[in-house]
Amino acid sequence: MRTIRGGASPVMIGRGSELRRLGQLASAREPAVAIIAGEPGIGKTRLVQELLERLSPDTVVLVGQAEPGSLSRPYEVLLDAIDARPEVDAEQLAALGDPRRSPVERLHTGLAIVSDLVGDAPAVLVFEDLHWADSESAALFERIADQRGPRLLIGTYRPDEVTRRQPVAGLLARMERRHAVTHVRLDRLSPSQTAAMLAAATGAPASPRAAAALHHRTGGNPFFLEELLRGFPGLDSEALVDQPLPWSLADVLRRQVDDLDPVSHRIVEAAAVLGQRIPFDLLAGVAGATEDELIGVLRDLVTRGVLVESGEDEFAFRHALVREAIAEQMLGRQRRRLHEAALDVLLKGGASDPALVAHHAHGAGRYDDMVAAARRGTALYLSIGSAYQALQLAELGLEESPDDSDLLAGAARAAWLAGLLDEALRYGRRWRDGADTTTYRAESLYVLVRIAWESREFDEMRAMTRHIETLIAQLPPGADQARAMTAIAQSAYLLDDLDAALLWSDRALALADEFDLPLVRLAALVEKGSTLTERPDRAAEGREILAGLVDEAEKADEWVLAARALNHLVQEPPASPVEQAERLERMRVDAERAGFESLAVSSYFQGRARLAMWAGDLAAAIAALEEGREQDRGYRRRGRWADYHGVFLAGLYLEATELDKAERVIADLVAVPDNPPTTIPGLAFHLACRRGDLARAEATLDQLLTALAAQTWRSGDQAHDLISAALELGLPQPRLDSLAGTLLDDNTWDAYRTLVDAQLAEARGRHAEALAGYLSIAEAPVIGPAIRGTIHVGAARCLLASPSASSASSGSSGSSASSAGASAQVEAATTLLAGWGGWRVAQLEQVRARLGMAPADAPPAVTGPAALTPREREVAVLISDGLTNSELARRLYISPKTAAVHVSNILRKLGVSSRTEVGDLVRRG
């Protein structure tokens, strides 16, 4: 068998779903055909390699590859597959290559060779690079597809290299008509997948800046990225960004244009200097070409796959590295002259894109033009949410004018929005230190407070807050003073000083009203509304303020403020899941408009997880966090965003009793600097309790109690989580009392506090007291369905343990009343926990067993659509309309992975195996 090419990355990135699809086809042991399409270097061969490595040992594998020029060599792919296989009959091999034999005879000989090698065993047969395959190999592929048996036939090809004259063109059309073909289209890697590939290949996460630069440089093509990595072994991703192309890769890329005529070569060189986006008129002016001449050359370059038509009268290189390889061959003076020509054309035409002007002014050495364009471009790109582009332009301008306040302000804001906190702090400090007006000083401090908080630089944050207070005393009433007050309100809120946050936000609002400062007013309202949501007695008022300012903020293009307000709103218990999902999507859109990466990505997936939890779907909540964390894992981040999903995900793994997964995430979190003090001890204690490790739990508890003593806030939710784990373990009563006393204080009075008190009362045998507590919060709207399920389970246990409590509440007597009451509580819990799992469901099953009830996951007595939850009925109706998982995801604002979970649950509950059967049942129901 042919040896398949490998890659620089030890793991395959971004092809998990495609690999699973092929694996399912191979494991089904039924005849199947799969066609894998993608551009050169996209990973077709690597995908096949990963599949073959996962096959069972009894699977026969044949892999043949066509090569350029194979069109004139009959059965080249089969010959390549059987090369050096001694079991192939020599006479058959001779007959296959004998041109005197008829085409039909030779085709049957090829089929016989394959049949002899495969027999009745399961098999995977691979024809690589069908776009180069000869007609005989194409015919053989088609005939193999017609045969029965447990075999998967795979073909790979490059769509851009297929013409009507090639045998593969007719083959693909006929296969589509005659067979159920599984099509696998491989796209380029996303920026997050590029980061993951860099992390896998170098052994260390990449900085967001390096990942973005290398993604742009390679266009997300895995082969190009691997060639860069191979060309400079041992370099980290930061150092790799500025390295020249390896000779081998540059040579491959330049071959695409080596045979151009002189006019075409002149035009492609001009295009290479112009950049990734190439306006037609600009190229014509720089290259000195007529319109007809340029159209002819561009058509040829598009046909060759060098350029693509990216927009109206605009072109781009298909791969950025091709442009880079062409430009590297040019003389420096030649490049400068082309930049100069481009700049003159742009300035004469009143160009509206300052990025183009700055690029060519820099290349031409005209630095005054460059700085002016960088100022305009930084402001423009910040206003449209292109944070990375804004940062690049600001840094370009700062090379020539390092103390420019406008550029420093833009660089600080852009770096913060892009999540580059080190750069944001550095530029923010330079902006503050060089501020020549009080307006700049107030603005810089407002941004720096936020950056310092996200970087967990709390001492610096407090120092800046004192600095702002001093500044306020020196400022006259007006815009600057109001802005400074808003900065203090933000700082106080982030540091959990809620009284100070309200005081300063109200003072800022008073000045905003007095001096008619609408933008300051919006910023102050965000701080005030956010602060009020932290106070149970005024949370509704805070939500009303935040909901009321979103429209106004969006109309004023204050996308950051709108996204922050919406982010607070989506963390609250949803009155309407549909409305909450719409808010979450709106938050993401606004954050993307601002270029606010942490909200657009990280907070978005946490919002999806919370929505799933409120829907009672633990698997979907975990899937959302896994998806978000997967997007983040390849990046090197700091501060709050270092492993933003880790704590939440570890908690859900513990909830689901997936303890090994929880332990792995906790180990990852240990390596993250600046975790909140209670994070690691809390998770470690919880894990020890769920594992039943009393010694480990007691040892970890001392660390947790010390950390909790320094925690400035208390949470009934946190208390319920940890107390539940301690009760399951059977933590000794004195230690349990110590934990409860530290977790809760006199200010913690909400439904969760009542729940914890009921749990503790039940543990101490005070069942009537516990029952009263459970029943008082059984319908509390601030508590999610899974925890309400646990409340009903607790109430059922209390009823079974204390018949007198049941008779007192129902007017009946004896154990029959307690059993009936407990059964009612269990049925309520069963409904609430239908989509859950883990320890809560285990507790439910224990009580069901005591009552002699069937397990909750037994086949439901109710069949048909009535067996589904409301959400599942909604999904089932959409399935009956023919929607795919991707279409379901778009319609319901969920991920395709979550949609797949819903579909799986529906098929299981209805006892059917296909989406068609779901539709039939829905229509009958």
Side-chain angles (χ1 to χ4, degrees), residues 21 25 32-35 172 174-184:
R21 287 169 64 192
L25 293 175
V33 180
I35 301 294
L172 293 173
R174 291 190 299 274
M175 293 298 295
E176 191 66 38
R177 290 195 300 268
R178 298 174 184 173
H179 299 278
V181 178
T182 297
H183 290 278
V184 178

Side-chain angles (χ1 to χ4, degrees), residues 390-422:
L391 179 59
Q392 288 177 332
L393 275 172
E395 289 181 330
L396 185 65
L398 288 169
E399 289 179 13
E400 182 64 21
S401 183
D403 299 322
D404 189 291
S405 291
D406 289 329
L407 292 173
L408 287 169
R413 290 181 186 278
W416 166 57
L417 291 169
L420 306 174
L421 298 181
D422 288 330

Side-chain angles (χ1 to χ4, degrees), residues 375 401-409 427-445 467 471 474-475 480:
R375 285 198 200 99
S401 183
D403 299 322
D404 189 291
S405 291
D406 289 329
L407 292 173
L408 287 169
Y427 289 124
R429 289 164 181 162
R430 286 173 57 186
W431 178 24
R432 174 200 61 195
D433 295 341
D436 52 5
T437 68
T438 54
T439 299
Y440 273 139
R441 175 71 54 115
E443 288 285 343
S444 67
L445 291 169
H467 187 171
L471 179 64
Q474 300 170 358
L475 292 172
D480 292 342

Side-chain angles (χ1 to χ4, degrees), residues 80-138:
D80 184 64
I82 63 178
D83 185 34
R85 295 193 72 135
E87 64 267 42
V88 177
D89 184 81
E91 290 186 8
Q92 286 183 319
L93 192 57
L96 182 68
D98 188 352
R100 294 169 298 181
R101 296 177 183 266
S102 71
V104 173
E105 185 178 1
R106 294 170 72 185
L107 176 61
H108 281 282
T109 300
L111 288 170
I113 292 173
V114 173
S115 180
D116 289 345
L117 290 171
V118 173
D120 295 326
V124 174
L125 314 175
V126 182
F127 283 51
E128 283 255 56
D129 294 329
L130 282 170
H131 49 279
W132 286 323
D134 57 281
S135 58
E136 291 83 359
S137 292

Side-chain angles (χ1 to χ4, degrees), residues 425 429 432 445-469 487-497 640:
L425 273 175
R429 289 164 181 162
R432 174 200 61 195
L445 291 169
Y446 178 81
V447 174
L448 273 170
V449 163
R450 185 82 191 189
I451 297 169
W453 178 70
E454 292 187 9
S455 303
R456 298 199 183 280
E457 300 284 352
F458 298 121
D459 290 340
E460 179 167 351
M461 188 176 171
R462 293 184 181 94
M464 281 189 289
T465 303
R466 291 191 294 271
H467 187 171
I468 299 170
E469 290 174 344
I488 296 185
Q490 174 182 232
S491 178
Y493 165 71
L494 296 174
L495 292 170
D496 295 316
D497 188 350
R640 294 184 67 235

